[in-house]
Amino acid sequence: MSGAAPGTGRGPLALLPPALIVGGVLANVVGPQPYTGLPLLAAAPLAACIVLTFRGAVVIAALSVIASVAVDLGLARPAAALLVDVADVLVISLIGLWLKRVMDSRDRTLTLTCANWRGGWTRRRNGPRARRGRVSARSSPRRCSRRSRPTATG
C-alpha cells in the first residue's frame, strides 16, 4: 500500500475529507432533492478522523458545519431545516472527534507499553547468561512489532 500511514494527515487519502465537503455542497446545490448532499457533509468529519490528525479533523468538522449552514442559507431553506442540518452534521462531527481522541489515546498507550516492553526485553537479552533464563513464545518482541500493531484501518 502506498502513501502515508493513516492518521498522519499526509498522502492521497488526506484529500478525501475536503472532497466530501465539496461533493456535499455540489450535491445540495445541484441535486434533485433538497438534502442530497447532507450525508456527504456528515461523512467528511468521520473520514477526517481516520486519515488526518486530531487538529485536521477539527478543521474539517468546522468546515463541514459551516458549509451546511452556508448551503441552507444560500438556498433560503426554512429555519427548521437549517437547525436539523446543522444539528445532524454537528452531532456526527462530535462523535467522530470523540472516536479520534479515543483512538489516539489507545495508540499512545500501546506505543508506550511496547517501548517499555522492548527496553525490558533488551535488558533481559543482553544481561548475564546465568540470569537470562528461558524465553517463552509469549514474550517475543514480535508482539510489539510494527507489523502486528493495530492501525486505525484495522
Side-chain angles (χ1 to χ4, degrees):
M1 185 164 131
S2 63
T8 60
R10 296 185 305 258
L13 284 179
L15 299 176
L16 180 64
L20 286 173
I21 292 176
V22 170
V25 169
L26 289 176
N28 264 339
V29 172
V30 181
Q33 296 179 356
Y35 305 104
T36 307
L38 186 61
L40 293 175
L41 289 173
L46 293 177
C49 289
I50 294 172
V51 298
L52 298 176
T53 62
F54 185 77
R55 189 175 296 175
V58 168
V59 169
I60 291 294
L63 287 175
S64 188
V65 171
I66 291 169
S68 178
V69 170
V71 167
D72 285 347
L73 291 176
L75 295 176
R77 292 205 177 123
L82 178 114
L83 183 63
V84 169
D85 284 357
V86 170
D88 185 25
V89 174
L90 187 63
V91 166
I92 292 175
S93 297
L94 291 175
I95 290 170
L97 292 173
W98 174 73
L99 289 173
K100 177 67 174 174
R101 181 64 75 186
V102 169
M103 288 184 337
D104 286 350
S105 173
R106 289 192 178 183
D107 190 43
R108 271 192 304 274
T109 302
L110 179 65
T111 302
L112 287 173
T113 302
C114 286
N116 289 339
W117 189 86
R118 280 191 192 114
W121 173 262
T122 304
R123 281 190 294 277
R124 259 187 294 157
R125 190 181 54 182
N126 295 336
R129 197 145 188 74
R131 292 189 309 173
R132 206 181 301 173
R134 281 188 70 139
V135 176
S136 69
R138 289 183 299 150
S139 64
S140 74
R142 258 186 285 154
R143 288 186 83 168
C144 286
S145 71
R146 184 174 200 85
R147 258 186 141 166
S148 66
R149 193 164 9 139
T151 62
T153 58

